C-alpha cells in the first residue's frame, strides 16, 4: 500500500494553519493540525478540522452547466463550456469594447491562480476591469498602509501577539474569527488585552477590558487618545522627526478632540479615554490589532491610519510586540493584494505608469499594448456599470456576492440586466451560480496546488491531498482551457503548473517590498515551514518570524511614514423615529464561514450553529417591544425586510441590533455606503426597525 504524508494550508481564514494528511492509496486516512508548523503548532479550529468534509459532499458540482433554451442549467461537456465561454465574452467585448466585461475575483484561491486569472482577463481577453472580493474585506487596510508606509505592508509577525504587553483589538472578534491566533495570546500579569467593540463579544468577554464604544465612534476616540498623548508630552519626538512626515498637521488636527468633547459620539467617559491613553503610553510594547469593525466603515482608511499614527508617534513599530496590525480575512487575502493583477499590476507595479507596464510586458513576453493603461473600476462601480449598461458580462471566481454583497437585492436585480454571467465554484446552488448562464466546476483547495499568504505575510503551501470529483478541474486548468479556447495558447505556453507561475511572480517581485526572488520553488517553502515576504535573493533571511520596519525605513521615496488625518463625517444613514436601531453585521460563530457554501455542508459543524437566521437584541429594547427570546420578528430597513428569530442578549447595547452575515436574510437590509479612499463597503451600519410578528 502506498502511504504518503502531505502538509497543506487551511483555506478558511487568514491565520494560515497547516494540516498533515496521511494518504493511503489515494484516500485520506488521517487529517491533523501540524505540530511543527510555526503558525498553529498543532492547534486548529473546527472549520479547519472539517475542511475536507464539504469537498466530499454529495452535491459537489461535477460537470460544467450551461443554461438551456428552457431557462434551466444543464450538464455540458468541458469543450462545450469553453466554447460558450469564449463566444459569450468575445461577443460582448467585440460589440461593446474592452470596458464592457469584467471579472470579479477572490481571496480564496492560490495566488498563482489569481495571477493567471489577472493575466488571462486583462492581457489575454483584453478586459480593463477586474476586481476582487478582497474589496469587501481588506481594501481599507491595504490603502491605509499604502498611503502611510508607501506599500501595502502589514508589519507584524505572530510572535508579536505573544510579546506585546498592551494589545488593543479594535473592531475584531478574533476569538471566533481568528481562533488559533487568539489562542497564541497567553494572559499574564504583565499583559493587558483591551477590546474596543460596540458588542460584548466572546473576544470582549475574554479580554481584560472591554471598551464598549458606540458604532463608528472609533475615529473620534483615537483622535482624543492622540490628543492626550501629545498634550502630556508622551510623543517619541526622536522617532517622529527621524521617521515621519505630517506631525504638525496631526497635532493641529487632534487639538480639539478632548476626551470630554467625544464622550457623546463614543459613548465613553473622558476618564476611560484618559486611562487608555496613559496605559498605551506606559506599555513597553503596545499594539493594535484590527479587522472588520474598522475596514467595514465609511471612514475606515482614516480610522486605520489613526491607529498607525498612534503607533508611529509613540515609537510602537518595528519592535517586538508592537505595530498597527491589520489581521487579514480570507486565507489568501494577502496573496490577492499583491499578486492578483487587479488593483495593481503584479507585485505592486502600477497600471498607469509606462515603465511599469513595459517591465511587466517584457517579463510576460507580450506586447505592452496588451496591458490596460488605466486602473480597473472598483467593485461597486463595476456593479453600477451593470445598471447603466456599461458592463454587459461578468465572470465570478470563488466568490458568492449574490449573498455577500451589500444591499444584495439590488445586486440580483443588476444581474438580470447582463447578457452573460459565468460563475466558477465548487457548487451550483450558490446564490450567484443560480443566476449564471454558465457554471464551471472547480476543484477545492485540498484538491490542487499553489500557495496562500497569511496575515503575517507567510507564504504557505497548498498541496493536493485528494482528487476533485467528476470532471471538476483546478482553477488553474480552467484558466488554461479558456486560454486555449480563446486562441491564447501561446501567451501562456510557459505556464504549465502553478509552480511555473510562482517562479514568474518571484522574478517579477525582485526589488519590490514584497520581493520573494530568493524562494526557489515549492520544496523550499515546504522545507522552511512557510516563508514570510520579503525574501530577496540578494539578502535572504531564514529567521522563522520576521517583522518589518525594524530600521525605521518605510517604502516611501524619502523613507518616512506619513501621518494622515481627516474630519469626522456623519454616519451615512442616521437612525430616526421610523428606523430607530443601528444594525451591525458580522461573523456569528467559529464554525460558520461567510455564505456557508462550505461550512453549511459539514454535518459536524451544522450541529454547532443556529439553523435559522436571527437578530440579537438588547434585553431592555426587547422588553419594551414585548419581544421574548425565540419570537419571530421582522427587521426592516429602507431597502428590504427579513423575518428572523429574536435572540435577546446582553451582548448588545440598547439601540443596536446584530445579524450575522452567514444567512441570506442579512444583506437585503445593509446600506451601501463606501469608504472614499478604499471603496470598501460599510457593512456595519444601517438604520432598521424591529417589529414582533403576529
Ligand atoms: N468563523 C469565521 N471566521 C472567519 C470568517 C468567517 O466567516 N467565519 N471570515 C474571515 C474573514 S474573510 C474576515 S474578513 C474576518 C473578519 O473577522 P472580524 O473582523 O473579527 O469579524 P466581524 O464579525 O465582521 O467584525 C468584527 C467586530 O467588529 C465589530 N464592530 C462593528 N462595528 C464597529 C465599530 O463601529 N467599531 C468597532 N470598534 N467595532 C465594530 C463587530 O461588533 C464585530 O464584533 O474573519 C475571518 N475568519
Ligand atoms: N453583511 C455582511 N456582509 C459581508 C460581511 C459582513 O461582515 N457583513 N463580510 C464581507 C467579507 S469581509 C467578505 S471576505 C465577504 C465574503 O464573501 P464571499 O467571498 O462571497 O463568500 P464565500 O462564501 O466565502 O464565497 C466563496 C465562494 O467560493 C467558492 N470556492 C471555495 N473554494 C474555491 C476554489 O478553490 N475555487 C473556486 N472556483 N471556488 C471556490 C465557495 O464555494 C463559495 O461559493 O463577505 C462580505 N459580506
Ligand atoms: S484558525 Fe483559520 S486557518 Fe486555522 S484551522 Fe481555523 S479556519 Fe483554518
Ligand atoms: Mo473578509
Amino acid at each position: 500500500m502506498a502511504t504518503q504524508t502531505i502538509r497543506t494550508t487551511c483555506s478558511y481564514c487568514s491565520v494560515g494553519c497547516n494540516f498533515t494528511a496521511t494518504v493511503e492509496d489515494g484516500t485520506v486516512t488521517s487529517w491533523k493540525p501540524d505540530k511543527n508548523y510555526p503558525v498553529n503548532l498543532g492547534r486548529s479550529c473546527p472549520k479547519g478540522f472539517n475542511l475536507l468534509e464539504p469537498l466530499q459532499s454529495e452535491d459537489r458540482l461535477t460537470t460544467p452547466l450551461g443554461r438551456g433554451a428552457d431557462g434551466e442549467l444543464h450538464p455540458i461537456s468541458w469543450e462545450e463550456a469553453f466554447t460558450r465561454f469564449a463566444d459569450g465574452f468575445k461577443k460582448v467585448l467585440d460589440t461593446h469594447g474592452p470596458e464592457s466585461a469584467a471579472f470579479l475575483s477572490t481571496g480564496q484561491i492560490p495566488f498563482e491562480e489569481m495571477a493567471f486569472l489577472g493575466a488571462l482577463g486583462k492581457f489575454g481577453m483584453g478586459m480593463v476591469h477586474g476586481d476582487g472580493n478582497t474589496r469587501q474585506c481588506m481594501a481599507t487596510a491595504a490603502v491605509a498602509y499604502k498611503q502611510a508606509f508607501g506599500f501595502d505592508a502589514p508589519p507584524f509577525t505572530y510572535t508579536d501577539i505573544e510579546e506585546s504587553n498592551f494589545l488593543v483589538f479594535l473592531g475584531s472578534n478574533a476569538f471566533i474569527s481568528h481562533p488559533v491566533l487568539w489562542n497564541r495570546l497567553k494572559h499574564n500579569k504583565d499583559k493587558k488585552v483591551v477590546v474596543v467593540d460596540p458588542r460584548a463579544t466572546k473576544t470582549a468577554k475574554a479580554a481584560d477590558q472591554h471598551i464598549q464604544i458606540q458604532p463608528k465612534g472609533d475615529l473620534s476616540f483615537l483622535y482624543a487618545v492622540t490628543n492626550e498623548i501629545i498634550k502630556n508630552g508622551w510623543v517619541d519626538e526622536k522617532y517622529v522627526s527621524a521617521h515621519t512626515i505630517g506631525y504638525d498637521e496631526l497635532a493641529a488636527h487632534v487639538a480639539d478632540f478632548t476626551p470630554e468633547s467625544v464622550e457623546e459620539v463614543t459613548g465613553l467617559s473622558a476618564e476611560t479615554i484618559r486611562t487608555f491613553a496613559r496605559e498605551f503610553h506606559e506599555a513597553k510594547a503596545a499594539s493594535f490589532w484590527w479587522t472588520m469593525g474598522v475596514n467595514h466603515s465609511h471612514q475606515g482608511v482614516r480610522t486605520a491610519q489613526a491607529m498607525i499614527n498612534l503607533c508611529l508617534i509613540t515609537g510602537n513599530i518595528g519592535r517586538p510586540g508592537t505595530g498597527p496590525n491589520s489581521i487579514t480575512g480570507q486565507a489568501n487575502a494577502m496573496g490577492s493584494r499583491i499578486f492578483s493583477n487587479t488593483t495593481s499590476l503584479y507585485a505592486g507595479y502600477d497600471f498607469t505608469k509606462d515603465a511599469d507596464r513595459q517591465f511587466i510586458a517584457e517579463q510576460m513576453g507580450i506586447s505592452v499594448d496588451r496591458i490596460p493603461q488605466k486602473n480597473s473600476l472598483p467593485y461597486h462601480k463595476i456593479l453600477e456599470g451593470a445598471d447603466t449598461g456599461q458592463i454587459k458580462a461578468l465572470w465570478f471566481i470563488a466568490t458568492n456576492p449574490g449573498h455577500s454583497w451589500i444591499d444584495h437585492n439590488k445586486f440580483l436585480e443588476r444581474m438580470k440586466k447582463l447578457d452573460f454571467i459565468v460563475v466558477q465554484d465548487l457548487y451550483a446552488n450558490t446564490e450567484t451560480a443560480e443566476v449564471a448562464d454558465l457554471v464551471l466546476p472547480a476543484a477545492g483547495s485540498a484538491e490542487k496546488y499553489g500557495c496562500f499568504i497569511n496575515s503575517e505575510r507567510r507564504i504557505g503551501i497548498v498541496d493536493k491531498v485528494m482528487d476533485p470529483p467528476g470532471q471538476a478541474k483546478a482553477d488553474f486548468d480552467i484558466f488554461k482551457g479558456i486560454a486555449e479556447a480563446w486562441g491564447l495558447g501561446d501567451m501562456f505556453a510557459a505556464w504549465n503548473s502553478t509552480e511555473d507561475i510562482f517562479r514568474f511572480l518571484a522574478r517579477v517581485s525582485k526589488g519590490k517590498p514584497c520581493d520573494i526572488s530568493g524562494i526557489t520553488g515549492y520544496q523550499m517553502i515546504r522545507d522552511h515551514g512557510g516563508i514570510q515576504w520579503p525574501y530577496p535573493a540578494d539578502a535572504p533571511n531564514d529567521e522563522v518570524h520576521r517583522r518589518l520596519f525594524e530600521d525605521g525605513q518605510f517604502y516611501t521615496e524619502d523613507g518616512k511614514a506619513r501621518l494622515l488625518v481627516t474630519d469626522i463625517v456623519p454616519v451615512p444613514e442616521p437612525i430616526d423615529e421610523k428606523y430607530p436601531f443601528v444594525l451591525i453585521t458580522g461573523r456569528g460563530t467559529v464554525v460558520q464561514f461567510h455564505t456557508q457554501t462550505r461550512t453549511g455542508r459539514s454535518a459536524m459543524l451544522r450541529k454547532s450553529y443556529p439553523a435559522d437566521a436571527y437578530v440579537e437584541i438588547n434585553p431592555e429594547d426587547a422588553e419594551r417591544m414585548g419581544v421574548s427570546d425565540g419570537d419571530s420578528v421582522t427587521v426592516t430597513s429602507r431597502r428590504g425586510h427579513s423575518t428572523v428569530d429574536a435572540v435577546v442578549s446582553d451582548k448588545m447595547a440598547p439601540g443596536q441590533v446584530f445579524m450575522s452575515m452567514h444567512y441570506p436574510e442579512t444583506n437585503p437590509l445593509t446600506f451601501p455606503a463606501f469608504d472614499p479612499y478604499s471603496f470598501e463597503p460599510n457593512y456595519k451600519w444601517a438604520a432598521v426597525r424591529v417589529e414582533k410578528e403576529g
Side-chain angles (χ1 to χ4, degrees):
M1 204 158 61
T3 304
Q4 280 175 287
T5 306
I6 304 173
R7 190 159 82 178
T8 190
T9 305
C10 175
S11 56
Y12 282 114
C13 87
S14 63
V15 174
C17 300
N18 265 30
F19 286 79
T20 306
T22 310
V23 184
E24 293 178 40
D25 284 337
T27 305
V28 180
T29 53
S30 113
W31 175 256
K32 288 189 189 136
D34 194 285
K35 286 205 176 59
N36 301 316
Y37 199 63
V39 164
N40 54 313
L41 303 164
R43 299 193 198 97
S44 99
C45 83
K47 290 189 298 302
F49 203 73
N50 283 277
L51 186 82
L52 305 184
E53 197 185 339
L55 296 175
Q56 292 160 330
S57 116
E58 292 280 299
D59 64 348
R60 266 296 288 278
L61 179 60
T62 54
T63 65
L65 302 176
R67 198 159 299 275
D70 58 358
E72 302 293 321
L73 288 169
H74 298 281
I76 54 173
S77 68
W78 270 114
E79 200 189 344
E80 168 76 13
F82 288 140
T83 307
R84 283 201 198 184
F85 183 99
D87 289 352
F89 271 99
K90 276 188 175 164
K91 193 169 156 199
V92 166
L93 289 165
D94 289 349
T95 319
H96 305 284
E99 299 202 44
S100 62
F103 63 89
L104 288 163
S105 166
T106 183
Q108 296 185 44
I109 61 177
F111 60 75
E112 299 86 338
E113 294 186 331
M114 295 174 185
F116 199 161
L117 170 64
L120 175 61
K122 294 197 171 178
F123 312 155
M125 293 165 62
M127 295 191 279
V128 174
H129 306 300
D131 200 10
N133 75 344
T134 32
R135 183 73 65 183
Q136 287 161 274
C137 181
M138 298 317 303
T140 287
V143 173
Y145 281 140
K146 198 169 173 193
Q147 291 180 348
F149 298 158
F151 197 80
D152 174 14
F156 63 102
T157 186
Y158 287 167
T159 50
D160 285 322
I161 215 165
E162 289 152 7
E163 290 171 297
S164 183
N165 48 21
F166 190 76
L167 298 97
V168 187
F169 284 79
L170 197 140
S172 154
N173 192 3
F175 189 102
I176 66 160
S177 303
H178 300 94
V180 168
L181 184 57
W182 176 259
N183 279 332
R184 288 187 80 123
L185 238 177
K186 299 277 171 291
H187 292 268
N188 62 46
K189 63 175 177 24
D190 298 326
K191 198 188 245 329
K192 180 164 182 183
V193 180
V194 181
V195 168
V196 183
D197 196 306
R199 301 186 304 134
T201 58
K202 285 196 170 158
T203 314
K205 287 183 176 163
D208 299 304
Q209 185 188 1
H210 175 205
I211 296 187
Q212 193 158 15
I213 197 162
Q214 279 294 314
K216 307 301 174 206
D218 307 270
L219 196 52
S220 302
F221 166 67
L222 292 164
Y223 285 165
V225 172
T226 312
N227 187 17
E228 276 294 295
I229 299 263
I230 292 174
K231 256 187 21 213
N232 288 306
W234 294 335
V235 171
D236 182 340
E237 282 169 11
K238 238 170 94 188
Y239 194 91
V240 166
S241 66
H243 303 298
T244 69
I245 300 254
Y247 179 75
D248 291 344
E249 291 82 352
L250 170 67
H253 187 83
V254 300
D256 292 339
F257 287 83
T258 61
E260 280 74 16
S261 73
V262 303
E263 279 187 330
E264 196 181 326
V265 62
T266 60
L268 307 173
S269 71
E271 193 45 39
T272 303
I273 298 170
R274 287 208 167 89
T275 306
F276 178 92
R278 185 173 40 75
E279 290 180 349
F280 191 86
H281 157 66
E282 286 171 354
K284 281 201 276 303
S287 55
F288 278 106
W289 304 83
W290 87 81
T291 41
M292 295 308 126
V294 174
N295 290 3
H296 289 164
S297 171
H298 66 297
Q299 292 201 284
V301 169
R302 291 292 185 253
T303 306
Q305 286 164 344
M307 288 180 278
I308 295 175
N309 295 343
L310 267 168
C311 289
L312 286 166
I313 66 167
T314 56
N316 275 300
I317 189 159
R319 291 188 289 115
T322 63
N325 303 326
S326 150
I327 311 172
T328 50
Q330 304 166 77
N332 202 11
M334 191 71 232
S336 118
R337 281 151 72 172
I338 54 182
F339 290 132
S340 65
N341 214 30
T342 51
T343 46
S344 68
L345 279 166
Y346 298 121
Y349 280 97
D350 192 333
F351 280 102
T352 63
K353 291 192 178 143
D354 292 347
D356 287 15
R357 286 198 309 281
Q358 193 61 46
F359 172 75
I360 296 292
E362 278 161 20
Q363 295 296 315
M364 285 280 311
I366 58 173
S367 153
V368 71
D369 305 334
R370 283 197 166 269
I371 302 186
Q373 296 181 18
K374 61 180 187 185
N375 287 320
S376 167
L377 286 173
Y379 207 123
H380 69 305
K381 290 285 169 194
I382 292 178
L383 294 179
E384 274 175 40
D387 229 0
T388 59
Q390 183 201 333
I391 298 283
K392 304 276 186 196
L394 283 175
W395 177 16
F396 297 95
I397 303 93
T399 182
N400 183 19
H403 172 144
S404 60
W405 187 251
I406 201 157
D407 184 16
H408 83 182
N409 286 344
K410 202 182 224 167
F411 174 92
L412 293 168
E413 279 164 29
R414 285 171 169 172
M415 292 306 105
K416 289 189 196 137
K417 299 189 175 177
L418 296 176
D419 294 350
F420 192 52
I421 302 173
V422 180
V423 169
Q424 195 161 311
D425 205 290
L426 313 178
Y427 312 101
N429 60 354
T430 73
E431 287 86 349
T432 319
E434 277 170 0
V435 300
D437 299 293
L438 182 65
V439 188
L440 306 176
S445 67
E447 300 165 342
K448 59 181 178 184
Y449 300 97
C451 293
F452 291 158
I453 309 182
N454 77 355
S455 282
E456 52 165 1
R457 309 179 320 282
R458 186 178 304 279
I459 301 173
I461 205 86
V462 173
D463 258 343
K464 181 173 170 171
V465 302
M466 56 195 200
D467 287 325
Q471 298 175 40
K473 284 181 194 281
D475 292 286
F476 170 87
D477 292 309
I478 300 178
F479 301 141
K480 196 86 182 159
I482 290 170
E484 295 287 341
W486 200 279
L488 294 164
D490 287 350
M491 185 183 281
F492 300 107
W495 289 358
N496 292 307
S497 68
T498 54
E499 196 166 7
D500 289 337
I501 304 179
F502 180 90
R503 293 204 173 99
F504 162 79
L505 295 170
R507 198 172 72 229
V508 164
S509 72
K510 195 171 170 50
K512 298 297 270 189
C514 59
D515 188 336
I516 52 166
S517 58
I519 307 179
T520 52
Y522 289 172
Q523 197 51 45
M524 185 169 169
I525 300 171
R526 290 188 190 105
D527 294 344
H528 276 63
I531 302 177
Q532 287 174 306
W533 67 258
Y535 194 88
D538 49 7
N541 179 338
D542 286 324
E543 268 176 65
V544 175
H545 282 283
R546 289 180 282 128
R547 73 186 56 78
L548 303 176
F549 311 131
E550 287 185 329
D551 57 359
Q553 285 303 301
F554 295 88
Y555 300 120
T556 48
E557 267 178 25
D558 55 15
K560 293 186 177 186
R562 300 296 187 270
L563 300 162
L564 296 158
V565 289
T566 196
D567 294 330
I568 308 284
V569 171
V571 293
E573 192 186 39
I575 53 169
D576 55 23
E577 268 175 29
K578 216 166 158 208
Y579 299 97
F581 288 99
V582 176
L583 170 66
I584 299 174
T585 71
R587 276 78 201 149
T589 63
V590 71
V591 293
Q592 288 169 290
F593 192 74
H594 294 170
T595 73
Q596 290 264 67
T597 68
R598 289 192 283 159
T599 43
R601 283 180 167 83
S602 161
M604 230 350 247
L605 301 182
R606 269 206 309 273
K607 285 188 205 138
S608 314
Y609 63 80
D612 299 317
Y614 58 91
V615 59
E616 291 180 344
I617 310 173
N618 170 271
E620 283 167 34
D621 289 332
E623 195 181 331
R624 195 168 25 79
M625 296 187 296
V627 168
S628 311
D629 213 43
D631 281 355
S632 197
V633 292
T634 298
V635 186
T636 308
S637 77
R638 289 187 177 81
R639 295 151 296 283
H641 58 87
S642 292
T643 301
V644 298
D645 297 340
V647 172
V648 179
S649 165
D650 64 3
K651 261 199 240 167
M652 300 308 300
Q656 298 163 29
V657 295
F658 174 80
M659 289 174 75
S660 110
M661 66 167 298
H662 311 299
Y663 305 88
E665 283 86 348
T666 299
N667 271 326
L669 309 172
T670 43
F671 179 74
F674 302 87
D675 178 274
Y677 304 99
S678 68
F679 308 119
E680 177 155 342
N682 172 13
Y683 285 108
K684 288 178 168 46
W685 180 295
V688 297
R689 66 169 177 269
V690 180
E691 289 150 314
K692 192 173 164 175
E693 281 295 287

